[in-house]
Amino acid sequence: MLHIVPTPVGNLEDITLRALKVLKEADLILAEDTRTSAVLLRHYDICTPMRAHHRNNEHAAVAGIVSELEAGRDIALISDAGTPGISDPGFMLARAARDAGVEVECLPGATAFVPALVGSGLPCDRFVFEGFLPLKKGRAARLAELASDPRTVIIYESPLRLARTLRQLAEAFGDGRRACVCREISKLHEEYRRGSLSELAVHYDLNQAKGEIVIILEGCADSPVRGKSVPSHKS
C-alpha cells in the first residue's frame, strides 16, 4: 500500500497519532529531503528507512516504486512540510500506483493554505487554490484571469519574490483589493498582515519577508457571479 502522509508545516506537534503509526510501521519512507524529514523522525523516535523522492528524480523513480508496492511493500510518502501533492511531489506516484491497481491511502492532516485562509479574515466559503504562479510564461494572463474571479484566491510565494508579486497583483487586481499575507504558519514567528494590495506591497518593499508565504486575496466584488451568490464582505 502507498500511504500519503501529511507532516507539520511548523510546530512538530501538528501531526496526527495515525500519521506517526503509519510512519513507524511502514517498510520505507519516501521523503522530499531526507535531511529535513530526519528532524521529524528523530523527534518521534521513528527508525523507518528513508529514501529521497523529489521533483528531480520522481519521473525516473516512479516505475521502480510501483514495482515495490506491487511486491507487497508498505511505503509512506512525505514532503518537507504539509500534504504531498499540494505544491510538492506526490501526484505522479499516486496516479501511477492507482493505475497499477495498488491501494493508495491519503491521511488527513496539515496543509499551509487552510489555516492561512481561515485565519485571514477573508471569505472562505468559496476559494481557488493557485499554488505558485508561473514565473514568466503565462504569468500576466493568469493574473488577469484571477483578477475577475469572485472567489477568494490563494497563492504560495517565495519571500524573495513577495514584494514584486504584491506589486504585480496590485496592478492586475487594483490597488484597493484586500489581501492577507500569512507567514510562518504554525511557527514561532507566525504572522498575518492584512491590508490593501498597495499597502502590503509598500510594507514588504521596506521589510524583507522571511519564511514560508501564503497570500490570500479577496475575490472580485464586481463579478456577476459573486454579486448573485456571494456577499462582498466589505466593511
Side-chain angles (χ1 to χ4, degrees):
M1 179 187 292
L2 174 64
H3 308 268
I4 300 175
V5 183
T7 52
V9 297
N11 193 311
L12 292 182
E13 295 182 0
D14 294 339
I15 190 167
T16 67
L17 295 175
R18 182 181 172 199
L20 293 174
K21 184 174 186 292
V22 168
L23 293 176
K24 287 178 180 178
E25 296 179 353
D27 298 313
L28 173 69
I29 295 173
L30 300 175
E32 186 178 4
D33 186 325
T34 55
R35 295 166 299 180
T36 299
S37 296
V39 175
L40 174 69
L41 299 190
R42 282 197 301 268
H43 184 78
Y44 287 105
D45 295 321
I46 297 172
C47 301
T48 306
M50 277 194 294
R51 183 192 304 165
H53 183 79
H54 46 71
R55 294 198 186 284
N56 295 329
N57 72 357
E58 63 177 337
H59 286 82
V62 162
I65 296 169
V66 170
S67 295
E68 293 182 71
L69 290 164
E70 290 177 315
R73 298 197 82 189
D74 263 352
I75 298 178
L77 173 67
I78 61 177
S79 62
D80 288 349
T83 301
I86 305 298
S87 293
D88 284 323
F91 162 71
M92 288 184 59
L93 180 56
R95 178 180 62 182
R98 289 284 189 192
D99 290 346
V102 173
E103 187 175 355
V104 178
E105 172 187 72
C106 184
L107 278 63
T111 301
F113 77 78
V114 174
L117 171 64
V118 176
S120 71
L122 292 170
C124 52
D125 53 341
R126 299 177 68 230
F127 60 89
V128 55
F129 173 69
E130 282 295 308
F132 288 95
L133 293 168
L135 291 180
K136 293 182 179 179
K137 185 178 180 181
R139 185 179 178 92
R142 192 72 195 115
L143 287 175
E145 291 177 14
L146 292 172
S148 61
D149 198 307
R151 298 168 294 180
T152 301
V153 178
I154 305 167
I155 295 172
Y156 284 170
E157 189 50 280
S158 157
L160 298 177
R161 295 192 298 264
L162 177 60
R164 172 176 170 267
T165 294
L166 288 168
R167 290 194 300 271
Q168 292 176 335
L169 288 167
E171 291 173 4
F173 286 56
D175 287 342
R177 186 76 68 92
R178 291 191 304 168
C180 179
V181 174
C182 311
R183 189 176 65 83
E184 294 288 78
I185 297 295
S186 188
K187 297 180 182 178
L188 179 62
H189 300 293
E190 178 179 294
E191 177 186 57
Y192 288 77
R193 182 166 292 275
R194 303 168 180 85
S196 68
L197 282 171
S198 60
E199 292 169 341
L200 292 170
V202 169
H203 175 80
Y204 287 107
D205 263 330
L206 300 174
N207 301 275
Q208 174 63 54
K210 296 181 180 180
E212 302 295 326
I213 305 291
V214 186
I215 304 172
I216 310 294
L217 297 146
E218 180 182 35
C220 179
D222 297 331
S223 166
V225 175
R226 180 169 177 172
K228 290 179 181 179
S229 61
V230 182
S232 66
H233 293 267
K234 288 196 172 184
S235 55

